Coordinates of all heavy atoms in Angstrom, one line a residue:
M1202 N 14.3 -17.5 1.4 CA 15.3 -17.9 0.4 C 14.7 -17.9 -0.9 O 15.3 -17.4 -1.9 CB 15.7 -19.3 0.8 CG 16.7 -19.9 -0.1 SD 18.3 -19.1 0.2 CE 19.3 -19.9 -1.0
I1203 N 13.5 -18.3 -1.1 CA 12.8 -18.3 -2.4 C 12.6 -16.9 -2.9 O 12.8 -16.6 -4.1 CB 11.5 -19.1 -2.4 CG1 11.8 -20.5 -2.1 CG2 10.7 -18.9 -3.7 CD1 10.6 -21.4 -1.9
V1204 N 12.3 -16.0 -2.0 CA 12.1 -14.6 -2.3 C 13.4 -14.0 -2.8 O 13.5 -13.2 -3.8 CB 11.5 -13.8 -1.2 CG1 11.5 -12.3 -1.5 CG2 10.2 -14.3 -0.8
A1205 N 14.5 -14.4 -2.2 CA 15.8 -13.8 -2.6 C 16.2 -14.3 -4.0 O 16.9 -13.5 -4.8 CB 16.9 -14.3 -1.6
L1206 N 15.8 -15.5 -4.4 CA 16.1 -15.9 -5.8 C 15.4 -15.1 -6.8 O 15.9 -14.8 -7.9 CB 15.6 -17.4 -5.9 CG 16.5 -18.4 -5.2 CD1 15.8 -19.8 -5.3 CD2 17.9 -18.4 -5.7
F1207 N 14.1 -14.7 -6.5 CA 13.4 -13.8 -7.5 C 13.9 -12.4 -7.4 O 14.0 -11.7 -8.5 CB 11.9 -13.9 -7.2 CG 11.3 -15.2 -7.5 CD1 10.8 -16.0 -6.5 CD2 11.3 -15.7 -8.8 CE1 10.3 -17.3 -6.7 CE2 10.7 -17.0 -9.1 CZ 10.3 -17.8 -8.0
T1208 N 14.2 -11.8 -6.3 CA 14.5 -10.5 -6.2 C 16.0 -10.2 -6.6 O 16.3 -9.1 -6.9 CB 14.3 -9.9 -4.7 OG1 15.1 -10.7 -3.8 CG2 12.8 -9.9 -4.4
S1209 N 16.8 -11.2 -6.5 CA 18.2 -11.0 -6.9 C 18.4 -10.5 -8.4 O 19.2 -9.7 -8.7 CB 19.1 -12.2 -6.6 OG 18.7 -13.3 -7.4
R1210 N 17.6 -11.0 -9.2 CA 17.6 -10.6 -10.7 C 17.2 -9.2 -10.8 O 17.7 -8.4 -11.6 CB 16.7 -11.5 -11.5 CG 17.3 -12.9 -11.6 CD 16.4 -13.7 -12.6 NE 16.5 -13.2 -13.9 CZ 17.1 -13.8 -14.9 NH1 17.6 -15.0 -14.8 NH2 17.1 -13.3 -16.1
I1211 N 16.2 -8.8 -10.0 CA 15.7 -7.4 -10.1 C 16.7 -6.5 -9.6 O 17.0 -5.4 -10.2 CB 14.3 -7.3 -9.3 CG1 13.3 -8.2 -10.0 CG2 13.9 -5.9 -9.3 CD1 12.0 -8.3 -9.2
V1212 N 17.3 -6.8 -8.5 CA 18.3 -6.0 -7.9 C 19.5 -5.9 -8.8 O 20.1 -4.8 -9.0 CB 18.7 -6.5 -6.5 CG1 19.9 -5.7 -5.9 CG2 17.6 -6.4 -5.5
L1213 N 19.9 -7.0 -9.4 CA 21.1 -7.0 -10.3 C 20.8 -6.1 -11.5 O 21.6 -5.3 -11.9 CB 21.4 -8.4 -10.8 CG 22.5 -8.6 -11.8 CD1 23.8 -8.1 -11.3 CD2 22.6 -10.0 -12.3
N1214 N 19.6 -6.2 -12.1 CA 19.3 -5.3 -13.2 C 19.2 -3.9 -12.8 O 19.6 -3.0 -13.6 CB 17.9 -5.8 -13.8 CG 18.1 -7.1 -14.6 OD1 19.1 -7.4 -15.1 ND2 16.9 -7.8 -14.7
T1215 N 18.7 -3.6 -11.6 CA 18.6 -2.2 -11.2 C 20.0 -1.6 -10.8 O 20.3 -0.5 -11.2 CB 17.7 -2.1 -9.9 OG1 16.5 -2.7 -10.3 CG2 17.5 -0.7 -9.5
L1216 N 20.8 -2.3 -10.1 CA 22.1 -1.8 -9.7 C 23.2 -1.9 -10.7 O 24.1 -1.1 -10.7 CB 22.6 -2.5 -8.4 CG 21.7 -2.3 -7.1 CD1 22.3 -3.1 -6.0 CD2 21.7 -0.8 -6.8
G1217 N 23.2 -2.9 -11.5 CA 24.3 -3.2 -12.4 C 25.3 -4.1 -11.8 O 25.2 -4.4 -10.6
I1218 N 26.2 -4.6 -12.6 CA 27.1 -5.7 -12.1 C 28.0 -5.1 -11.0 O 28.2 -5.8 -10.0 CB 27.9 -6.2 -13.3 CG1 27.0 -6.9 -14.3 CG2 29.0 -7.2 -12.8 CD1 27.7 -7.4 -15.5
E1219 N 28.6 -4.0 -11.2 CA 29.6 -3.5 -10.2 C 29.0 -3.1 -8.9 O 29.5 -3.5 -7.9 CB 30.3 -2.2 -10.8 CG 31.5 -1.8 -10.0 CD 32.3 -0.7 -10.7 OE1 32.5 -0.8 -11.9 OE2 32.6 0.2 -10.0
D1220 N 27.9 -2.4 -9.0 CA 27.2 -2.0 -7.7 C 26.6 -3.2 -7.0 O 26.5 -3.2 -5.8 CB 26.1 -1.0 -8.0 CG 26.7 0.4 -8.3 OD1 27.8 0.6 -7.9 OD2 26.0 1.2 -9.0
F1221 N 26.2 -4.3 -7.8 CA 25.6 -5.5 -7.2 C 26.7 -6.2 -6.4 O 26.5 -6.8 -5.3 CB 25.1 -6.4 -8.2 CG 24.4 -7.6 -7.7 CD1 23.1 -7.5 -7.0 CD2 24.9 -8.9 -7.8 CE1 22.5 -8.6 -6.5 CE2 24.3 -10.0 -7.3 CZ 23.1 -9.8 -6.6
G1222 N 28.0 -6.2 -6.9 CA 29.1 -6.7 -6.2 C 29.4 -6.0 -4.9 O 29.6 -6.6 -3.8
I1223 N 29.3 -4.7 -4.9 CA 29.5 -3.9 -3.7 C 28.4 -4.2 -2.7 O 28.6 -4.3 -1.5 CB 29.6 -2.4 -4.1 CG1 30.8 -2.1 -4.9 CG2 29.6 -1.5 -2.8 CD1 30.9 -0.7 -5.5
Y1224 N 27.2 -4.3 -3.2 CA 26.0 -4.6 -2.4 C 26.2 -6.0 -1.7 O 25.9 -6.1 -0.5 CB 24.8 -4.7 -3.3 CG 23.5 -5.1 -2.7 CD1 22.7 -4.3 -1.9 CD2 23.0 -6.4 -2.9 CE1 21.5 -4.7 -1.3 CE2 21.8 -6.8 -2.4 CZ 21.1 -6.0 -1.6 OH 19.9 -6.4 -1.0
G1225 N 26.8 -6.9 -2.4 CA 27.1 -8.2 -1.8 C 28.1 -8.1 -0.7 O 28.1 -8.8 0.3
I1226 N 29.2 -7.4 -1.0 CA 30.3 -7.2 0.0 C 29.8 -6.5 1.2 O 30.1 -6.9 2.4 CB 31.5 -6.5 -0.6 CG1 32.1 -7.3 -1.7 CG2 32.5 -6.0 0.4 CD1 33.2 -6.6 -2.5
V1227 N 29.0 -5.5 1.1 CA 28.5 -4.7 2.2 C 27.5 -5.7 3.0 O 27.6 -5.7 4.3 CB 27.7 -3.5 1.8 CG1 26.9 -2.8 2.9 CG2 28.7 -2.4 1.2
G1228 N 26.7 -6.4 2.4 CA 25.9 -7.4 3.1 C 26.7 -8.4 3.8 O 26.3 -8.8 4.9
G1229 N 27.8 -8.9 3.3 CA 28.6 -9.9 3.9 C 29.3 -9.3 5.2 O 29.4 -9.9 6.2
V1230 N 29.8 -8.0 5.1 CA 30.4 -7.4 6.2 C 29.4 -7.1 7.3 O 29.7 -7.3 8.5 CB 31.1 -6.0 5.7 CG1 31.5 -5.2 6.9 CG2 32.2 -6.3 4.8
I1231 N 28.2 -6.7 7.0 CA 27.2 -6.5 8.0 C 26.8 -7.8 8.7 O 26.7 -7.9 9.9 CB 25.9 -5.9 7.4 CG1 26.2 -4.4 7.0 CG2 24.7 -5.9 8.3 CD1 25.2 -3.7 6.2
T1232 N 26.7 -8.9 7.9 CA 26.5 -10.2 8.5 C 27.6 -10.6 9.4 O 27.4 -11.2 10.5 CB 26.3 -11.3 7.4 OG1 25.2 -10.8 6.5 CG2 26.0 -12.6 7.9
L1233 N 28.9 -10.4 9.0 CA 30.0 -10.7 9.8 C 30.0 -10.0 11.2 O 30.2 -10.6 12.2 CB 31.3 -10.5 9.1 CG 32.6 -10.7 9.8 CD1 32.8 -12.2 10.1 CD2 33.8 -10.1 9.1
F1234 N 29.7 -8.7 11.1 CA 29.7 -7.9 12.3 C 28.5 -8.3 13.2 O 28.6 -8.3 14.4 CB 29.6 -6.4 12.0 CG 30.9 -5.8 11.6 CD1 31.0 -4.9 10.6 CD2 32.0 -6.1 12.3 CE1 32.2 -4.3 10.2 CE2 33.3 -5.6 12.0 CZ 33.3 -4.7 10.9
G1235 N 27.4 -8.7 12.6 CA 26.3 -9.2 13.4 C 26.6 -10.5 14.1 O 26.3 -10.7 15.3
F1236 N 27.4 -11.4 13.5 CA 27.8 -12.6 14.1 C 28.8 -12.4 15.2 O 28.7 -13.0 16.3 CB 28.5 -13.5 13.0 CG 29.1 -14.8 13.6 CD1 28.3 -15.8 14.0 CD2 30.4 -14.9 13.8 CE1 28.8 -17.0 14.5 CE2 31.0 -16.0 14.3 CZ 30.2 -17.1 14.7
I1237 N 29.7 -11.5 15.0 CA 30.7 -11.1 16.0 C 30.0 -10.5 17.2 O 30.3 -10.8 18.4 CB 31.8 -10.2 15.5 CG1 32.7 -11.0 14.5 CG2 32.6 -9.6 16.6 CD1 33.7 -10.1 13.7
N1238 N 29.1 -9.6 17.0 CA 28.3 -9.0 18.1 C 27.5 -10.0 18.8 O 27.5 -9.9 20.1 CB 27.4 -7.9 17.5 CG 26.7 -7.1 18.6 OD1 27.2 -6.9 19.6 ND2 25.4 -6.7 18.2
S1239 N 26.9 -10.9 18.2 CA 26.1 -12.0 18.9 C 27.0 -12.8 19.7 O 26.7 -13.1 20.9 CB 25.4 -12.8 17.9 OG 24.7 -13.9 18.5
S1240 N 28.2 -13.2 19.2 CA 29.1 -14.0 19.9 C 29.7 -13.3 21.2 O 29.7 -13.9 22.3 CB 30.3 -14.4 19.0 OG 29.8 -15.2 17.9
L1241 N 30.0 -12.1 21.0 CA 30.6 -11.3 22.1 C 29.5 -11.0 23.2 O 29.8 -11.1 24.4 CB 31.2 -10.0 21.7 CG 32.5 -10.1 20.9 CD1 32.9 -8.7 20.4 CD2 33.6 -10.7 21.8
S1242 N 28.3 -10.8 22.8 CA 27.2 -10.6 23.7 C 26.9 -11.9 24.6 O 26.7 -11.8 25.8 CB 25.9 -10.2 23.0 OG 26.1 -9.0 22.4
S1243 N 27.0 -13.0 23.9 CA 26.8 -14.3 24.6 C 27.9 -14.5 25.6 O 27.7 -15.0 26.8 CB 26.7 -15.5 23.7 OG 25.6 -15.3 22.8
A1244 N 29.1 -14.3 25.2 CA 30.3 -14.5 26.1 C 30.3 -13.5 27.2 O 30.5 -13.9 28.4 CB 31.6 -14.3 25.3
T1245 N 29.9 -12.3 27.0 CA 29.8 -11.3 28.1 C 28.8 -11.7 29.1 O 29.0 -11.6 30.3 CB 29.4 -9.9 27.4 OG1 30.4 -9.5 26.5 CG2 29.3 -8.9 28.5
S1246 N 27.6 -12.1 28.6 CA 26.5 -12.5 29.5 C 27.0 -13.7 30.3 O 26.7 -13.8 31.5 CB 25.3 -12.9 28.7 OG 24.3 -13.4 29.5
R1247 N 27.7 -14.6 29.7 CA 28.1 -15.8 30.5 C 29.1 -15.5 31.6 O 28.9 -15.9 32.7 CB 28.8 -16.8 29.5 CG 29.2 -18.1 30.2 CD 30.7 -18.2 30.3 NE 31.1 -19.5 30.9 CZ 31.9 -19.6 31.9 NH1 32.3 -18.5 32.5 NH2 32.2 -20.7 32.4
F1248 N 30.1 -14.6 31.3 CA 31.1 -14.3 32.3 C 30.5 -13.4 33.4 O 30.8 -13.6 34.6 CB 32.3 -13.6 31.7 CG 33.2 -14.6 31.0 CD1 33.3 -14.6 29.6 CD2 33.9 -15.5 31.7 CE1 34.1 -15.5 29.0 CE2 34.8 -16.5 31.1 CZ 34.8 -16.4 29.7
I1249 N 29.6 -12.5 33.1 CA 29.0 -11.6 34.1 C 28.1 -12.4 35.0 O 28.1 -12.3 36.2 CB 28.3 -10.4 33.4 CG1 29.3 -9.5 32.9 CG2 27.4 -9.8 34.4 CD1 28.7 -8.3 32.1
T1250 N 27.3 -13.3 34.4 CA 26.5 -14.2 35.2 C 27.3 -15.1 36.1 O 26.9 -15.3 37.3 CB 25.6 -15.0 34.3 OG1 24.9 -14.2 33.4 CG2 24.6 -15.9 35.0
Y1251 N 28.4 -15.6 35.6 CA 29.3 -16.5 36.4 C 29.8 -15.7 37.7 O 29.8 -16.2 38.8 CB 30.4 -17.0 35.6 CG 31.4 -17.9 36.3 CD1 31.1 -19.2 36.6 CD2 32.6 -17.4 36.7 CE1 32.0 -20.0 37.3 CE2 33.5 -18.2 37.4 CZ 33.2 -19.5 37.7 OH 34.1 -20.3 38.4
E1252 N 30.3 -14.5 37.4 CA 30.8 -13.7 38.6 C 29.7 -13.2 39.5 O 29.9 -13.2 40.7 CB 31.5 -12.5 38.0 CG 32.8 -12.8 37.3 CD 33.8 -13.5 38.2 OE1 33.9 -13.4 39.4 OE2 34.6 -14.3 37.6
M1253 N 28.5 -13.0 39.0 CA 27.3 -12.7 39.9 C 27.0 -13.9 40.8 O 26.6 -13.7 41.9 CB 26.1 -12.2 39.1 CG 26.3 -10.9 38.4 SD 24.9 -10.5 37.3 CE 23.6 -10.2 38.5
G1254 N 27.1 -15.1 40.2 CA 26.8 -16.3 40.9 C 27.8 -16.5 42.1 O 27.4 -17.0 43.1
K1255 N 29.1 -16.2 41.8 CA 30.1 -16.3 42.8 C 30.1 -15.2 43.8 O 30.7 -15.2 44.8 CB 31.5 -16.4 42.2 CG 31.8 -17.7 41.5 CD 33.1 -17.7 40.8 CE 34.2 -17.2 41.6 NZ 35.5 -17.3 40.9
N1256 N 29.2 -14.1 43.6 CA 29.1 -13.0 44.4 C 30.5 -12.2 44.6 O 30.8 -11.7 45.6 CB 28.6 -13.3 45.8 CG 27.6 -12.3 46.2 OD1 27.2 -11.4 45.5 ND2 27.0 -12.5 47.5
N1257 N 31.2 -12.2 43.5 CA 32.5 -11.6 43.4 C 32.4 -10.2 42.8 O 32.5 -10.1 41.5 CB 33.5 -12.5 42.7 CG 34.9 -12.1 42.8 OD1 35.2 -11.0 43.3 ND2 35.8 -12.9 42.4
T1258 N 32.2 -9.2 43.6 CA 32.0 -7.8 43.0 C 33.2 -7.2 42.4 O 33.1 -6.4 41.5 CB 31.4 -6.9 44.1 OG1 32.3 -6.9 45.2 CG2 30.0 -7.4 44.6
T1259 N 34.4 -7.6 42.9 CA 35.6 -7.0 42.3 C 35.8 -7.4 40.9 O 36.0 -6.6 40.0 CB 36.9 -7.5 43.2 OG1 36.6 -7.1 44.5 CG2 38.1 -6.8 42.6
N1260 N 35.7 -8.7 40.6 CA 35.8 -9.2 39.2 C 34.7 -8.7 38.4 O 34.8 -8.5 37.2 CB 35.9 -10.7 39.2 CG 37.3 -11.2 39.6 OD1 38.3 -10.5 39.6 ND2 37.4 -12.5 39.9
L1261 N 33.5 -8.6 39.0 CA 32.3 -8.2 38.2 C 32.5 -6.7 37.8 O 32.2 -6.4 36.6 CB 31.1 -8.3 39.1 CG 29.7 -7.9 38.5 CD1 29.5 -8.9 37.3 CD2 28.6 -8.1 39.4
N1262 N 33.1 -5.9 38.6 CA 33.4 -4.5 38.3 C 34.4 -4.5 37.2 O 34.3 -3.6 36.2 CB 33.8 -3.7 39.5 CG 32.6 -3.4 40.4 OD1 31.5 -3.4 40.0 ND2 32.9 -3.2 41.7
N1263 N 35.5 -5.3 37.3 CA 36.5 -5.3 36.3 C 36.0 -5.8 34.9 O 36.3 -5.2 33.9 CB 37.7 -6.2 36.7 CG 38.5 -5.6 37.8 OD1 38.5 -4.4 38.0 ND2 39.2 -6.5 38.6
L1264 N 35.1 -6.8 35.0 CA 34.5 -7.3 33.7 C 33.6 -6.3 33.1 O 33.7 -6.0 31.9 CB 33.7 -8.6 34.0 CG 34.5 -9.9 34.1 CD1 33.5 -11.0 34.6 CD2 35.1 -10.2 32.8
S1265 N 32.8 -5.6 33.9 CA 31.9 -4.5 33.4 C 32.7 -3.4 32.7 O 32.4 -2.9 31.6 CB 31.1 -4.0 34.5 OG 30.2 -5.0 35.0
S1266 N 33.8 -3.0 33.4 CA 34.6 -2.0 32.8 C 35.3 -2.4 31.5 O 35.3 -1.7 30.5 CB 35.7 -1.6 33.7 OG 35.2 -1.0 34.9
T1267 N 35.8 -3.6 31.4 CA 36.4 -4.2 30.2 C 35.4 -4.3 29.1 O 35.7 -3.9 28.0 CB 37.0 -5.5 30.5 OG1 38.0 -5.4 31.6 CG2 37.7 -6.1 29.3
Y1268 N 34.2 -4.8 29.4 CA 33.2 -5.0 28.3 C 32.7 -3.6 27.8 O 32.4 -3.5 26.7 CB 32.1 -5.9 28.8 CG 32.6 -7.3 28.9 CD1 32.2 -8.0 30.0 CD2 33.4 -7.9 28.0 CE1 32.6 -9.3 30.2 CE2 33.8 -9.2 28.2 CZ 33.4 -9.9 29.3 OH 33.9 -11.2 29.4
K1269 N 32.6 -2.7 28.7 CA 32.2 -1.3 28.3 C 33.2 -0.7 27.4 O 32.9 -0.2 26.4 CB 32.0 -0.4 29.6 CG 31.6 1.0 29.2 CD 31.4 1.8 30.5 CE 32.8 2.1 31.0 NZ 32.8 3.1 32.1
C1270 N 34.4 -0.9 27.7 CA 35.5 -0.4 26.9 C 35.5 -1.1 25.5 O 35.7 -0.4 24.5 CB 36.9 -0.6 27.6 SG 38.3 -0.1 26.7
N1271 N 35.3 -2.4 25.5 CA 35.3 -3.1 24.2 C 34.1 -2.8 23.3 O 34.3 -2.6 22.1 CB 35.4 -4.6 24.5 CG 36.7 -5.1 25.0 OD1 37.7 -4.4 24.8 ND2 36.8 -6.2 25.6
F1272 N 32.9 -2.8 23.9 CA 31.7 -2.6 23.2 C 31.5 -1.1 22.8 O 31.1 -0.8 21.7 CB 30.5 -3.1 23.9 CG 30.4 -4.6 23.9 CD1 30.2 -5.3 25.0 CD2 30.3 -5.3 22.7 CE1 30.1 -6.7 25.0 CE2 30.2 -6.7 22.6 CZ 30.1 -7.3 23.8
L1273 N 31.8 -0.2 23.7 CA 31.4 1.2 23.4 C 32.7 2.0 23.0 O 32.5 3.1 22.6 CB 30.8 1.8 24.7 CG 29.5 1.1 25.2 CD1 29.1 1.8 26.5 CD2 28.5 1.2 24.1
G1274 N 33.8 1.4 23.1 CA 35.0 2.2 22.8 C 35.3 3.2 23.9 O 36.0 4.2 23.6
A1275 N 34.8 3.0 25.1 CA 34.9 4.0 26.1 C 36.3 3.9 26.8 O 36.9 2.9 26.7 CB 33.8 3.8 27.2
D1276 N 36.7 4.9 27.5 CA 37.9 4.9 28.2 C 37.8 4.1 29.5 O 36.7 4.1 30.2 CB 38.3 6.3 28.6 CG 39.7 6.7 28.4 OD1 40.4 5.8 28.0 OD2 40.1 7.8 28.6
N1277 N 38.8 3.3 29.8 CA 38.7 2.4 30.9 C 39.5 2.9 32.1 O 40.5 2.3 32.5 CB 39.2 1.0 30.5 CG 38.9 -0.1 31.5 OD1 38.1 0.2 32.5 ND2 39.4 -1.3 31.3
K1278 N 39.1 4.1 32.6 CA 39.9 4.7 33.7 C 39.2 4.3 35.0 O 38.0 4.4 35.1 CB 39.9 6.2 33.5 CG 40.7 6.7 32.3 CD 40.7 8.2 32.2 CE 41.4 8.6 30.9 NZ 41.3 10.0 30.7
Q1279 N 40.0 4.0 36.0 CA 39.5 3.6 37.3 C 40.1 4.4 38.4 O 41.2 4.7 38.4 CB 39.6 2.1 37.5 CG 38.7 1.4 36.6 CD 38.7 -0.1 37.0 OE1 39.2 -0.5 38.0 NE2 38.1 -0.9 36.2

């Protein structure tokens, strides 16, 4: 945090006001996607582990296909 206070002035002077705003927006979007990715990974792990514990292979295969489709954008053909 302290380093960011010192380097923000240098980055602002180097990029200029407009590019510094774009830099902030891009950083915010990357942070948002990182949060979403972390949340989805935790939820995926929870549901897959739950189905593995119940030894329910049918739902486990359905979950795996669904998560593959969501995370990789793959086709969900069965």
Side-chain angles (χ1 to χ4, degrees):
M1202 181 72 180
I1203 295 174
V1204 174
L1206 291 173
F1207 292 114
T1208 59
S1209 64
R1210 291 184 65 112
I1211 296 169
V1212 173
L1213 177 60
N1214 287 335
T1215 304
L1216 293 178
I1218 294 173
E1219 188 172 319
D1220 288 337
F1221 186 72
I1223 294 170
Y1224 175 77
I1226 290 171
V1227 170
V1230 169
I1231 290 171
T1232 303
L1233 176 67
F1234 283 137
F1236 175 75
I1237 291 171
N1238 185 31
S1239 175
S1240 300
L1241 287 177
S1242 295
S1243 296
T1245 301
S1246 176
R1247 186 252 182 232
F1248 284 109
I1249 288 177
T1250 305
Y1251 179 77
E1252 292 300 330
M1253 287 174 71
K1255 285 176 53 178
N1256 221 4
N1257 190 349
T1258 56
T1259 305
N1260 282 346
L1261 184 60
N1262 289 335
N1263 288 339
L1264 282 172
S1265 297
S1266 297
T1267 302
Y1268 292 134
K1269 179 180 72 172
C1270 181
N1271 288 340
F1272 283 125
L1273 301 177
D1276 224 357
N1277 193 8
K1278 295 180 182 175
Q1279 292 185 9

